[in-house]
Amino acid sequence: MTFVKGYLIPRLIQYVLVIFLGLTAVFIIPRLTPSDPVNRTIIQLRSMGSYLDPASMNAFIEDLNELYGLTGSPLEQYGAFWTRLFKGNFGVSFFQFPTPVNQLIGVALPWTLGMLLTTTVLAWILGNIIGGLAGYFGRSRWSRVVDVCTMIIRPIPYYIFAFALMLLLAYVIPLFPVSGGIPIGRQFSWTLAYFLDVLKHAFLPALSLVLLGTAVWFQTMKLVVQNVNAEDFVQYAKFGGLRDRKIATRYVIRNAMLPQITSLALSIGQIFSGALITEIVFSYPGLGMLLYNAIITGDYNLIMGITALSIIGITTAIFVIDLLYPLFDPRVRYQ
Amino acid sequence: MKVLKDLFEDYRFVVSFTILCALLLLAILSLFSPHDPTLWGTAPRDIKPSWEHLFGTNSKGQDLFWQAAFAVRNSLIIALIAASLSRVIAVLVGMVAGYKGGMTGTVLMFFSDVFLVIPLFLIIVMLAMLVRERMNLVTLGLLLAAFGWSWDARVIRSQILSLRERGFTQTAVLSGTGTVRLVLNEYMPFTTPLIFSTLINNMAWVIGLEITLAFLGLVNMDIPTLGTMLQWAISYQAILLGYWWWIVTPIVLSVLLFVALYWLSVSISEYLDPRTRIQRVGA
Amino acid sequence: MNKPVLRTENLKAFYVLDVHGDQTVVKAVNGVNLHIRENEVYGIAGESGCGKSTLLKTLYGAIEPPLRLMGGKVYYRVVDEELDASRLSAEDKRYLRWEFISYVPQGSMSVHNPVLKLKETFHDFISAHLSGKTREEAFEIAKAWLVELGLPTKILDAYPHQLSGGMKQRVTIALAALLKPKVIICDEPTTALDVVVQRGVVQLLKSIQRELQNSIVLVTHDMGIHANVADRIAIMYAGVIVEEAPAATVFGSPQHPYTRYLINSLPRFGDKSARESAPGNPPLLSNLPGGCPFHPRCPYVLEICKREMPETVALNQNHKAACWLVVEREDGKTP
C-alpha cells in the first residue's frame, strides 16, 4: 500500500501539524499584547453603571480570567486552550459580552459559506473553460481580447476591485443595493421573495469575486493548456489521426485539470481572505463584517475565534482536495 | 542594451514602463512639495480639479496632487522595504532548501507551506492590531515582509534543484568550490532575473495589503499612503457629498500601479522563459 | 514492376527560427529523393543532427512551425493511385493516418496519455478510424492483436507509467501496426533501451513486417540494428542522402567516403585494431559549407567538391551515391 504511505500519510501529518502550528500562533499572538482584556471588560461594565462589592468583584475577575483562558501559567493556559478547543468552545466575545463567540460565528458563517462556495466553484469552472478554449485555439481575436481584459483585472486586489465595482454599479449607475445581506428587520422565511432579496443584495459582492476569480483561472488554465498541448502524447494523438474534439477533451483538458486542482487547493487561503474583504466592502453579513466589527471594537477573542475556525476550515478543505486528487491522476494512485 | 531593446517590443513592457516612470516622477516630485502632507487646511477645501489644484482638494483642506505624490512615494517605499526583505528570506530559504535537500529541505519547505496555506490575512490583522499604536512605514514594511516570502521560496527552490543537476555544478564542486561561492557566483546569474520578477510581484501584493489594512483602520492614518488617502475619503463621505476627485485619485493611481507592476513582471518573466522566446524546434 | 509505395522528389524542409529579429534557417532536409518499395525494411542511418527525424516528420506530413516545407514533393501510393501528400486536405491526411501510414515517434516513453489505461488508448486509435466498433469490440481487437504479436495482454489494463521503457516501446510499435498500414515509420525505436530489450523490439519489428508484408522505414544511428533488420540502407549526412544501397553492399563495399568512415568505425569480431572515425565534426545545419557538406572532413576532397553539391550517380540498379569521386570514377577518369 505504497499509496497510503507515499501519499496519504505525509499529507495527514502535514494537515495535523499545520493546524497545530496555526492554532498555537493564534494562542500566542494575543498574549503578546500588553493590554489586559479582563481589565478592559471591568472598565466597560463599570462605565455602563454596574457596581460590585470587592469580594464579588474578585470572584468576578477570577471568573473572567477563567472565561478568557487567562488563569494559571502560560503552559496551563495552553493546555486549557486545547481542551476547550476540542470541546468546540472558542470563548466569549469581549465586546458583546457575554455572547459566546461560537454563536456570533454561527450566525455569520452560512452567509460566507454560501457566497464563498458558489463564487469559487463558478469562477473555477468558468475560468477553466474559457481559459482552456483560449489556450487550445490560441490565435483567435477574441482570446486576445479576453487576455487583455484579464491582464487588467487580475492584479487588482480584492478591496479595490470590490470598491470600484460598488462605485460603478451602486452609485454611478444605481442598479444594485449598496450593502449586502438583507434589509434590517426582514425576517428569515422560506419564501421566494426572501431568496430573491438575498440574491439581489448578494449579487454585487458575488460578481466581484467571480470576475476576479475567473480572471485568475483563465490565465492559469491558458498557460497550462498551452504547455499540455506541447506534450508528446498530444502530438502522438495527432499523429494517430484522432479527431480534434477527442484530443481536446480526453488528452488536453483532462491532463490540464490536474495542475488546476492543485492550484485550487493552494489558493483557497487567498480566495477566503479575498471573500472576507469583499464582504466588508459591501457590508455583507458574513464573517467579513463580523471580523470588521471585531477589529473596530477591539474584540480580540472574536478575532481569535474567527482566525482559529478559518485555519481549521481552510486546511480541512485543502486536505479534502488532496484526498480527491488521486481520483483524477492515476500516477499518484499506483506508484 | 539589447535586452532593453528586445523588451520594448512587448507592448506590455512599454505601457508598464511608461506608467511606472510617470508614477516615479510623481513620487520624486513629493520632495518639492510646498506643504507638509500631515497638516490640514493648507489649501481651500473641496475644490474640483483645476489648473491651480490639478487633482482638486479634499475636505481636510489638502491639495490632492501633493497628497498623491506623497502617497505614491510612501506606498512605494513600504513596498520596496517589504519586498526586498522578503526576497532575502525567500532566497535564503529557497537556496538552502534547494541545495541541501534532504531533511533540511523538507522541513524548510514544510514551514513555507504552512505560510502558504494559513489565511495570512487574518494573522496579519491580528498582529497589526497589536502594533497599531506604533505603526509607521518601517514597522508595516517589516510586518508584511515576514509573510510574503513563502511562494517565492518555493519557486527559487525548484530552480536551484534543477541547477544542481546541471553539469557545471559537478565541475565546480569537484574542483573544490565552496558552497557559498558556488551559490553566489554560479547560481546567481540564473536566479537574479527570477528574484527580480518575484520582487515586482511582491511589491504589488504589499501595496494591495497596505491599502486593505488601511481600510480596516490598522495603519497610522496620519502618514499619507494610497490606502490612507482612500480611507480618509470614505470616512468623510466623499461619495455621498459628490467629491468624486477625492475618491477617484487614489483608486486610479493604485489601479495604474498594480496593472503596471503586473505587466512589467509578466513581460520580464516571459522574456526570460526560453520556451516563450524561441519557438519550439523539432527533434 | 515494383512501384514505390512512398517516394519523394527533391524534398526540402527547413526550420525558420526568429528570435527577436535574428533569423536562423536550419536546413534539415536539403533535397532528398527516396523510393520506398513495398515489402521491405528501409533503414536510414546517420549521426545525430543530420536531419533524419525531420525527414520522417516530413514524410508523415507532420509539418508544423517552425518547420516549413520549402520545396519538393512527397507521394503516397494508396490503392494503386499516387497521391501528392502536400496537397491532401487535413481530413484526408487524418483519414490516411494509421490506416495507410503510421508513426512510431522518437522517445516513445511519454507518448501515451498518462491518465488513460492503455486499452482506452487503443480504443481511441481504433475508433478514430474504424467506425461502428463498440468499446468491447475495440478491446477485443487490441487483445487479439497483442496475442498475435506475443505481447502480454494484461498490459492493456495498465497505465503507461506502470510499464517499463521497453514494454512501452513495444506497445507503441504494436499500436502503430494495429490497422495494418502499408508503411510504418520508426524513429530511433531502440535508443535509450538496454541491449536485451533492444533485441525484443527488433524481433517485434521483424515479425510485424513478416506478417503484414508492408514497408518499414527505420531511422537509427545504430548500424548494428540496420545490419540486423534493414533490406536497404540510406546514409544521411547534413540533410542529404549521400549513399543508398542494399544492406550487404553498404557494409561490404561502401563508395562514399563518409559511409566508409562509418563502416570502418564499427567494431568487428577478432579485429583488435583501433577504430577510426571521420576527423572533425558534422556541420551545423544552420551554417552549411558550400558545395558538398562533407568536403571539410573528406580526405579525398577535390576542387569541385568545395563549389558544387555532387550529383547522385547510380552505380547499378540498386546502388546510388552522391559524390564527385564516384562521378569521376564512373566517367572513367579515375580507376
Side-chain angles (χ1 to χ4, degrees), chain A residues 149-166:
Chain A
C149 287
T150 52
M151 289 280 276
I152 298 181
I153 294 180
R154 184 181 176 173
I156 301 181
Y158 283 92
Y159 171 43
I160 302 265
F161 192 75
F163 195 69
L165 203 65
M166 182 181 83

Side-chain angles (χ1 to χ4, degrees), chain B residues 14-35:
Chain B
V14 175
V15 171
S16 58
F17 192 71
T18 327
I19 296 181
L20 280 175
C21 282
L23 289 174
L24 263 176
L25 196 60
L26 184 61
I28 295 179
L29 277 180
S30 69
L31 293 171
F32 304 104
S33 161
H35 314 294

Side-chain angles (χ1 to χ4, degrees), chain C residues 3 50 72 82 90 96 99 118 145 169 202 218 229 244 306:
Chain C
K3 294 231 180 84
C50 71
E82 208 174 50
L96 286 177
E99 295 201 76
L118 281 171
W145 183 233
Q169 185 73 57
V202 169
L218 176 61
V229 191
E244 180 200 83
K306 301 184 189 171

